[in-house]
Amino acid sequence: MLKRVQKLKNGLRGVITIPSDKSISHRAVMFSSLAKGNCVINNFSSGADCHSTLNIFKQLGVNIEFIGKKTLKVESEGKLNHSFTPLDAGNSGTTTRLISGILAGQNFDSTIIGDESLSKRPMKRIIEPLTLMGANIESVDGHAPLTIHGCKLNGINYSSKLSSAQVKSCILLAGLNAEGETTYTEPYISRNHTELLLDYLGADIKVNDSSVTVRPSKLTGKDIEVVGDISSAAFFIVAGLITTKSDFIIKNVGLNPTRAGIIDIVKRMNGQIEILDKHVQSGELVGNIKVQYSENLKGCTIEGEDIPRLIDELPVIAVLASQAEGQTTVKNAEDLRNKESDRIKCLVSELTKIGISITEKSDGFIINGKTKITGNAELESYHDHRLAMSFYIAGLIAEKEIGINGFEWTKISFPEFEELIYKLI
Ligand code: S3P
């Protein structure tokens, strides 16, 4: 589907509530399926990725039903059943990697399949540590489909070269069902929703800086309120900062410090952003964000420990950087090449078409601002939801219309995206 976007005449104003966090919604369904008892999940994501997770756990025998538009009831015996048909993770890397950790230690075999993009994403990062735990996994040269022959696992002490919450969560989930203790250490702390939610549901889990240790645990079902997704809010934060006359509030945004790197970067870039009404909900920090048009943005360097805290926001941060005076350099972000698309290559090819000065680096990119976004071009989303939404935001300040191919991919994480933009126009 080709979406056409035109320059905004007046800014964005008003108040919106950002929909549910994708990472936490996945985990809420997975962990409450592993827990014994009943649980209500409020504000579950309407994104297609989370629905892939939901359908898989139904297929594994868990009783899950919607009792409201975004409210789920999960009834589980705390154990999963064999599925005779393959488990379809669709486009979702989080589903594939996290459930691999869960399925590796079951007493049955499973097959996980996915779409074309998912089947190209690297799975060796989970197969290697799971194999060290005794898992038996067949793949197509390190890619899905994955056939997991369930077996007894043993705990490991694993130091990862990568800061990846998906890999960390996979190993911790395998560790819940392994003999002995499992410790996972990463270079910089990645999002810690797994640690927070496992702790909330009663797992034996301890965190020490960038190391996490779990012991075999039984979880207990408890109600979960999912906060709003800062990765979805990021599109609105950038839209507000770069469109003249904008001034609005985004409500109910998750502000977990391991996820909220974009807030620090916006401040580093001189953007006008304010956090209001911070409080804790189901173990997660949440608040409202006020954003205003910011004329004097300046470039900055984003690297090292910043990266896992804003990895999904880098495409829209590239659009923001194009409106900042001077150079913005993104380093140590090579894993962007392994997302739903090669986000470094695709950002460079597409943003160049609309007049943005962006240079490709092996581990990131450099943007020289401030540039006029010319528009008058058709951009390719490469079936990547975050690229499609980032290009839309660029279109709001482009001199001439921008077309975005494959805009329907926004359904993966944020089906409400355009409706909320209209709410603020
Ligand atoms: C996620 C972790 C990140 C992120 C993805 C969601 C998660 O991936 O990019 O969108 O929910 O754990 P990596 O762990 O591969 O960096």
Side-chain angles (χ1 to χ4, degrees):
M1 169 192 153
L2 178 72
K3 171 67 64 185
R4 297 179 194 282
V5 190
Q6 280 167 358
K7 188 172 180 170
L8 260 189
K9 295 211 176 63
N10 292 302
L12 301 168
R13 304 181 86 87
V15 178
I16 52 167
T17 299
I18 215 71
S20 168
D21 189 280
K22 178 158 93 78
S23 287
I24 302 175
S25 290
H26 280 298
R27 286 160 173 84
V29 165
M30 291 179 191
F31 303 177
S32 53
S33 295
L34 296 179
K36 201 174 162 109
N38 294 352
C39 144
V40 171
I41 302 172
N42 263 320
N43 196 29
F44 183 72
S45 166
S46 45
D49 272 5
C50 294
H51 283 254
S52 297
T53 294
L54 176 65
N55 291 333
I56 285 177
F57 280 87
K58 279 188 178 172
Q59 225 174 311
L60 292 167
V62 183
N63 201 349
I64 312 177
E65 58 168 339
F66 274 97
I67 53 169
K69 195 164 168 245
K70 293 187 170 188
T71 307
L72 284 177
K73 189 166 98 191
V74 182
E75 285 175 353
S76 177
E77 289 299 316
K79 71 180 209 22
L80 306 175
N81 294 326
H82 173 231
S83 163
F84 287 94
T85 47
L87 306 168
D88 188 356
N91 190 247
S92 175
T94 308
T95 309
T96 310
R97 295 192 178 118
L98 270 62
I99 64 167
S100 295
I102 295 173
L103 295 171
Q106 302 294 328
N107 58 4
F108 55 80
D109 296 353
S110 315
T111 300
I112 309 173
I113 56 170
D115 69 7
E116 203 185 315
S117 144
L118 186 68
S119 307
K120 289 192 192 131
R121 294 181 68 185
M123 294 298 155
K124 275 201 180 115
R125 56 183 62 194
I126 55 158
I127 296 173
E128 280 174 7
L130 284 175
T131 305
L132 291 175
M133 297 179 83
N136 181 352
I137 302 176
E138 286 173 58
S139 71
V140 182
D141 195 22
H143 300 91
L146 303 177
T147 299
I148 303 183
H149 301 285
C151 62
K152 285 221 172 327
L153 303 177
N154 49 272
I156 47 167
N157 189 340
Y158 189 75
S159 276
S160 173
K161 290 196 202 84
L162 207 68
S163 290
S164 158
Q166 293 183 352
V167 179
K168 172 174 64 178
S169 303
C170 168
I171 302 310
L172 295 177
L173 290 167
L176 284 185
N177 202 11
E179 201 176 304
E181 197 173 87
T182 298
T183 299
Y184 185 91
T185 306
E186 55 188 346
Y188 301 117
I189 301 175
S190 62
R191 66 189 68 186
N192 66 357
H193 305 304
T194 294
E195 295 89 306
L196 294 180
L197 197 52
L198 285 180
D199 183 55
Y200 177 72
L201 299 178
D204 184 348
I205 181 163
K206 299 218 161 31
V207 179
N208 189 356
D209 289 331
S210 57
S211 285
V212 191
T213 301
V214 286
R215 285 171 215 270
S217 312
K218 295 264 175 271
L219 307 179
T220 310
K222 252 179 157 183
D223 293 350
I224 300 167
E225 182 76 40
V226 183
V227 301
D229 199 324
I230 189 160
S231 300
S232 300
F235 300 106
F236 287 84
I237 293 173
V238 171
L241 294 168
I242 65 175
T243 52
T244 44
K245 300 188 209 151
S246 283
D247 186 347
F248 58 89
I249 290 185
I250 315 170
K251 288 179 85 170
N252 192 36
V253 185
L255 295 170
N256 178 322
T258 64
R259 261 309 270 296
I262 185 164
I263 308 282
D264 301 337
I265 294 306
V266 166
K267 288 183 180 160
R268 212 179 281 171
M269 293 177 86
N270 227 3
Q272 295 193 60
I273 189 167
E274 214 182 313
I275 310 292
L276 313 165
D277 312 321
K278 264 197 207 173
H279 61 280
V280 175
Q281 200 174 283
S282 297
E284 291 280 352
L285 194 61
V286 59
N288 300 333
I289 299 180
K290 180 173 163 67
V291 201
Q292 282 173 293
Y293 171 60
S294 303
E295 213 174 346
N296 299 314
L297 294 168
K298 59 178 174 59
C300 73
T301 298
I302 306 174
E303 61 185 335
E305 64 184 336
D306 296 331
I307 301 298
R309 299 178 61 235
L310 47 63
I311 185 80
D312 292 341
E313 289 65 83
L314 286 168
V316 78
I317 288 176
V319 175
L320 176 66
S322 75
Q323 301 311 300
E325 214 50 68
Q327 200 162 75
T328 296
T329 305
V330 174
K331 294 183 200 170
N332 315 124
E334 46 281 274
D335 212 32
L336 270 186
R337 296 194 182 273
N338 297 316
K339 297 294 176 188
E340 285 81 334
S341 67
D342 175 341
R343 286 185 178 156
I344 297 180
K345 187 166 147 238
C346 298
L347 274 174
V348 171
S349 72
E350 302 313 289
L351 293 184
T352 303
K353 289 185 188 164
I354 53 172
I356 293 180
S357 158
I358 175 166
T359 310
E360 181 170 354
K361 295 280 163 191
S362 60
D363 67 340
F365 48 83
I366 298 176
I367 291 184
N368 281 298
K370 185 176 185 170
T371 14
K372 261 208 165 65
I373 296 189
T374 49
N376 200 19
E378 245 176 53
L379 307 189
E380 189 47 62
S381 72
Y382 298 96
H383 301 181
D384 183 333
H385 54 129
R386 299 204 197 277
L387 291 187
M389 291 184 276
S390 302
F391 299 155
Y392 189 105
I393 300 303
L396 297 178
I397 57 165
E399 296 297 302
K400 297 214 169 101
E401 188 178 273
I402 285 182
I404 306 160
N405 271 318
F407 189 73
E408 68 279 12
W409 284 85
T410 53
K411 71 177 186 294
I412 289 296
S413 61
F414 198 1
E416 309 86 343
F417 169 75
E418 203 182 19
E419 186 190 317
L420 287 178
I421 292 274
Y422 278 121
K423 203 168 170 208
L424 292 176
I425 291 180

PDB file of all heavy atoms in Angstrom, residues 301-321:
ATOM      1  N   THR A 301      26.676  12.753  19.487  1.00  0.00           N
ATOM      2  CA  THR A 301      27.162  11.397  19.215  1.00  0.00           C
ATOM      3  C   THR A 301      26.355  10.409  20.049  1.00  0.00           C
ATOM      4  O   THR A 301      26.104  10.648  21.233  1.00  0.00           O
ATOM      5  CB  THR A 301      28.666  11.302  19.573  1.00  0.00           C
ATOM      6  OG1 THR A 301      29.354  12.219  18.722  1.00  0.00           O
ATOM      7  CG2 THR A 301      29.216   9.909  19.343  1.00  0.00           C
ATOM      8  N   ILE A 302      25.943   9.318  19.414  1.00  0.00           N
ATOM      9  CA  ILE A 302      25.146   8.283  20.090  1.00  0.00           C
ATOM     10  C   ILE A 302      25.937   6.983  19.959  1.00  0.00           C
ATOM     11  O   ILE A 302      26.216   6.544  18.833  1.00  0.00           O
ATOM     12  CB  ILE A 302      23.759   8.155  19.420  1.00  0.00           C
ATOM     13  CG1 ILE A 302      23.071   9.532  19.378  1.00  0.00           C
ATOM     14  CG2 ILE A 302      22.899   7.126  20.146  1.00  0.00           C
ATOM     15  CD1 ILE A 302      21.764   9.560  18.602  1.00  0.00           C
ATOM     16  N   GLU A 303      26.353   6.407  21.072  1.00  0.00           N
ATOM     17  CA  GLU A 303      27.270   5.255  20.998  1.00  0.00           C
ATOM     18  C   GLU A 303      27.225   4.447  22.294  1.00  0.00           C
ATOM     19  O   GLU A 303      26.619   4.871  23.282  1.00  0.00           O
ATOM     20  CB  GLU A 303      28.707   5.752  20.769  1.00  0.00           C
ATOM     21  CG  GLU A 303      29.186   6.640  21.904  1.00  0.00           C
ATOM     22  CD  GLU A 303      30.575   7.257  21.676  1.00  0.00           C
ATOM     23  OE1 GLU A 303      31.374   6.683  20.919  1.00  0.00           O
ATOM     24  OE2 GLU A 303      30.838   8.308  22.286  1.00  0.00           O
ATOM     25  N   GLY A 304      27.954   3.310  22.275  1.00  0.00           N
ATOM     26  CA  GLY A 304      28.182   2.496  23.483  1.00  0.00           C
ATOM     27  C   GLY A 304      26.902   2.162  24.224  1.00  0.00           C
ATOM     28  O   GLY A 304      25.967   1.616  23.660  1.00  0.00           O
ATOM     29  N   GLU A 305      26.871   2.538  25.514  1.00  0.00           N
ATOM     30  CA  GLU A 305      25.720   2.126  26.338  1.00  0.00           C
ATOM     31  C   GLU A 305      24.418   2.802  25.938  1.00  0.00           C
ATOM     32  O   GLU A 305      23.339   2.368  26.344  1.00  0.00           O
ATOM     33  CB  GLU A 305      26.008   2.344  27.827  1.00  0.00           C
ATOM     34  CG  GLU A 305      26.212   3.771  28.225  1.00  0.00           C
ATOM     35  CD  GLU A 305      26.585   3.901  29.700  1.00  0.00           C
ATOM     36  OE1 GLU A 305      26.255   2.998  30.479  1.00  0.00           O
ATOM     37  OE2 GLU A 305      27.207   4.917  30.045  1.00  0.00           O
ATOM     38  N   ASP A 306      24.496   3.890  25.131  1.00  0.00           N
ATOM     39  CA  ASP A 306      23.248   4.500  24.620  1.00  0.00           C
ATOM     40  C   ASP A 306      22.477   3.503  23.757  1.00  0.00           C
ATOM     41  O   ASP A 306      21.241   3.502  23.744  1.00  0.00           O
ATOM     42  CB  ASP A 306      23.546   5.680  23.657  1.00  0.00           C
ATOM     43  CG  ASP A 306      24.241   6.858  24.312  1.00  0.00           C
ATOM     44  OD1 ASP A 306      24.034   7.072  25.513  1.00  0.00           O
ATOM     45  OD2 ASP A 306      25.000   7.568  23.597  1.00  0.00           O
ATOM     46  N   ILE A 307      23.227   2.704  22.975  1.00  0.00           N
ATOM     47  CA  ILE A 307      22.613   1.953  21.869  1.00  0.00           C
ATOM     48  C   ILE A 307      21.502   0.983  22.307  1.00  0.00           C
ATOM     49  O   ILE A 307      20.386   1.086  21.795  1.00  0.00           O
ATOM     50  CB  ILE A 307      23.694   1.249  20.993  1.00  0.00           C
ATOM     51  CG1 ILE A 307      24.654   2.309  20.421  1.00  0.00           C
ATOM     52  CG2 ILE A 307      23.069   0.399  19.884  1.00  0.00           C
ATOM     53  CD1 ILE A 307      24.038   3.347  19.490  1.00  0.00           C
ATOM     54  N   PRO A 308      21.761   0.062  23.259  1.00  0.00           N
ATOM     55  CA  PRO A 308      20.641  -0.840  23.599  1.00  0.00           C
ATOM     56  C   PRO A 308      19.444  -0.107  24.207  1.00  0.00           C
ATOM     57  O   PRO A 308      18.332  -0.624  24.193  1.00  0.00           O
ATOM     58  CB  PRO A 308      21.256  -1.818  24.625  1.00  0.00           C
ATOM     59  CG  PRO A 308      22.564  -1.260  25.034  1.00  0.00           C
ATOM     60  CD  PRO A 308      23.006  -0.284  23.989  1.00  0.00           C
ATOM     61  N   ARG A 309      19.668   1.115  24.697  1.00  0.00           N
ATOM     62  CA  ARG A 309      18.576   1.868  25.329  1.00  0.00           C
ATOM     63  C   ARG A 309      17.684   2.581  24.304  1.00  0.00           C
ATOM     64  O   ARG A 309      16.676   3.188  24.666  1.00  0.00           O
ATOM     65  CB  ARG A 309      19.135   2.889  26.334  1.00  0.00           C
ATOM     66  CG  ARG A 309      19.918   2.217  27.471  1.00  0.00           C
ATOM     67  CD  ARG A 309      20.494   3.223  28.430  1.00  0.00           C
ATOM     68  NE  ARG A 309      19.474   4.007  29.065  1.00  0.00           N
ATOM     69  CZ  ARG A 309      19.430   5.344  29.053  1.00  0.00           C
ATOM     70  NH1 ARG A 309      20.360   6.038  28.434  1.00  0.00           N
ATOM     71  NH2 ARG A 309      18.455   5.963  29.676  1.00  0.00           N
ATOM     72  N   LEU A 310      18.101   2.565  23.015  1.00  0.00           N
ATOM     73  CA  LEU A 310      17.275   3.242  22.004  1.00  0.00           C
ATOM     74  C   LEU A 310      17.372   2.584  20.645  1.00  0.00           C
ATOM     75  O   LEU A 310      17.083   3.193  19.618  1.00  0.00           O
ATOM     76  CB  LEU A 310      17.630   4.742  21.903  1.00  0.00           C
ATOM     77  CG  LEU A 310      19.106   5.145  21.830  1.00  0.00           C
ATOM     78  CD1 LEU A 310      19.817   4.640  20.633  1.00  0.00           C
ATOM     79  CD2 LEU A 310      19.229   6.639  21.952  1.00  0.00           C
ATOM     80  N   ILE A 311      17.760   1.282  20.639  1.00  0.00           N
ATOM     81  CA  ILE A 311      18.038   0.605  19.360  1.00  0.00           C
ATOM     82  C   ILE A 311      16.874   0.740  18.359  1.00  0.00           C
ATOM     83  O   ILE A 311      17.097   1.014  17.176  1.00  0.00           O
ATOM     84  CB  ILE A 311      18.440  -0.882  19.604  1.00  0.00           C
ATOM     85  CG1 ILE A 311      18.853  -1.579  18.312  1.00  0.00           C
ATOM     86  CG2 ILE A 311      17.350  -1.678  20.319  1.00  0.00           C
ATOM     87  CD1 ILE A 311      20.236  -1.292  17.872  1.00  0.00           C
ATOM     88  N   ASP A 312      15.634   0.614  18.835  1.00  0.00           N
ATOM     89  CA  ASP A 312      14.496   0.654  17.902  1.00  0.00           C
ATOM     90  C   ASP A 312      14.138   2.076  17.468  1.00  0.00           C
ATOM     91  O   ASP A 312      13.371   2.261  16.518  1.00  0.00           O
ATOM     92  CB  ASP A 312      13.266  -0.005  18.552  1.00  0.00           C
ATOM     93  CG  ASP A 312      13.454  -1.508  18.731  1.00  0.00           C
ATOM     94  OD1 ASP A 312      14.335  -2.088  18.060  1.00  0.00           O
ATOM     95  OD2 ASP A 312      12.729  -2.106  19.545  1.00  0.00           O
ATOM     96  N   GLU A 313      14.667   3.066  18.187  1.00  0.00           N
ATOM     97  CA  GLU A 313      14.323   4.457  17.887  1.00  0.00           C
ATOM     98  C   GLU A 313      15.292   5.086  16.881  1.00  0.00           C
ATOM     99  O   GLU A 313      15.089   6.222  16.439  1.00  0.00           O
ATOM    100  CB  GLU A 313      14.309   5.290  19.179  1.00  0.00           C
ATOM    101  CG  GLU A 313      13.159   4.997  20.113  1.00  0.00           C
ATOM    102  CD  GLU A 313      13.158   3.602  20.708  1.00  0.00           C
ATOM    103  OE1 GLU A 313      13.845   3.346  21.706  1.00  0.00           O
ATOM    104  OE2 GLU A 313      12.458   2.725  20.143  1.00  0.00           O
ATOM    105  N   LEU A 314      16.378   4.377  16.533  1.00  0.00           N
ATOM    106  CA  LEU A 314      17.404   4.998  15.682  1.00  0.00           C
ATOM    107  C   LEU A 314      16.876   5.450  14.305  1.00  0.00           C
ATOM    108  O   LEU A 314      17.289   6.509  13.829  1.00  0.00           O
ATOM    109  CB  LEU A 314      18.635   4.090  15.558  1.00  0.00           C
ATOM    110  CG  LEU A 314      19.472   4.096  16.858  1.00  0.00           C
ATOM    111  CD1 LEU A 314      20.514   2.991  16.854  1.00  0.00           C
ATOM    112  CD2 LEU A 314      20.155   5.444  17.096  1.00  0.00           C
ATOM    113  N   PRO A 315      15.944   4.707  13.665  1.00  0.00           N
ATOM    114  CA  PRO A 315      15.448   5.229  12.385  1.00  0.00           C
ATOM    115  C   PRO A 315      14.791   6.614  12.519  1.00  0.00           C
ATOM    116  O   PRO A 315      15.062   7.511  11.719  1.00  0.00           O
ATOM    117  CB  PRO A 315      14.434   4.171  11.939  1.00  0.00           C
ATOM    118  CG  PRO A 315      14.925   2.897  12.583  1.00  0.00           C
ATOM    119  CD  PRO A 315      15.474   3.329  13.921  1.00  0.00           C
ATOM    120  N   VAL A 316      13.984   6.792  13.547  1.00  0.00           N
ATOM    121  CA  VAL A 316      13.308   8.105  13.661  1.00  0.00           C
ATOM    122  C   VAL A 316      14.279   9.154  14.228  1.00  0.00           C
ATOM    123  O   VAL A 316      14.175  10.350  13.922  1.00  0.00           O
ATOM    124  CB  VAL A 316      11.963   7.991  14.428  1.00  0.00           C
ATOM    125  CG1 VAL A 316      12.127   7.903  15.927  1.00  0.00           C
ATOM    126  CG2 VAL A 316      11.058   9.158  14.059  1.00  0.00           C
ATOM    127  N   ILE A 317      15.280   8.707  14.992  1.00  0.00           N
ATOM    128  CA  ILE A 317      16.313   9.644  15.458  1.00  0.00           C
ATOM    129  C   ILE A 317      17.112  10.164  14.246  1.00  0.00           C
ATOM    130  O   ILE A 317      17.558  11.311  14.232  1.00  0.00           O
ATOM    131  CB  ILE A 317      17.221   8.976  16.526  1.00  0.00           C
ATOM    132  CG1 ILE A 317      16.434   8.823  17.846  1.00  0.00           C
ATOM    133  CG2 ILE A 317      18.506   9.778  16.761  1.00  0.00           C
ATOM    134  CD1 ILE A 317      17.155   8.094  18.972  1.00  0.00           C
ATOM    135  N   ALA A 318      17.239   9.350  13.208  1.00  0.00           N
ATOM    136  CA  ALA A 318      17.925   9.815  11.987  1.00  0.00           C
ATOM    137  C   ALA A 318      17.159  10.989  11.380  1.00  0.00           C
ATOM    138  O   ALA A 318      17.759  11.980  10.933  1.00  0.00           O
ATOM    139  CB  ALA A 318      18.045   8.674  10.982  1.00  0.00           C
ATOM    140  N   VAL A 319      15.837  10.901  11.396  1.00  0.00           N
ATOM    141  CA  VAL A 319      15.016  12.012  10.866  1.00  0.00           C
ATOM    142  C   VAL A 319      15.211  13.250  11.750  1.00  0.00           C
ATOM    143  O   VAL A 319      15.394  14.370  11.257  1.00  0.00           O
ATOM    144  CB  VAL A 319      13.523  11.597  10.798  1.00  0.00           C
ATOM    145  CG1 VAL A 319      12.650  12.770  10.376  1.00  0.00           C
ATOM    146  CG2 VAL A 319      13.340  10.403   9.861  1.00  0.00           C
ATOM    147  N   LEU A 320      15.232  13.043  13.051  1.00  0.00           N
ATOM    148  CA  LEU A 320      15.444  14.158  13.989  1.00  0.00           C
ATOM    149  C   LEU A 320      16.800  14.816  13.731  1.00  0.00           C
ATOM    150  O   LEU A 320      16.917  16.046  13.660  1.00  0.00           O
ATOM    151  CB  LEU A 320      15.386  13.611  15.421  1.00  0.00           C
ATOM    152  CG  LEU A 320      15.685  14.582  16.555  1.00  0.00           C
ATOM    153  CD1 LEU A 320      14.598  15.659  16.638  1.00  0.00           C
ATOM    154  CD2 LEU A 320      15.755  13.854  17.911  1.00  0.00           C
ATOM    155  N   ALA A 321      17.837  13.983  13.547  1.00  0.00           N
ATOM    156  CA  ALA A 321      19.196  14.498  13.357  1.00  0.00           C
ATOM    157  C   ALA A 321      19.294  15.364  12.101  1.00  0.00           C
ATOM    158  O   ALA A 321      20.082  16.312  12.052  1.00  0.00           O
ATOM    159  CB  ALA A 321      20.174  13.330  13.280  1.00  0.00           C
TER     160      ALA A 321
END
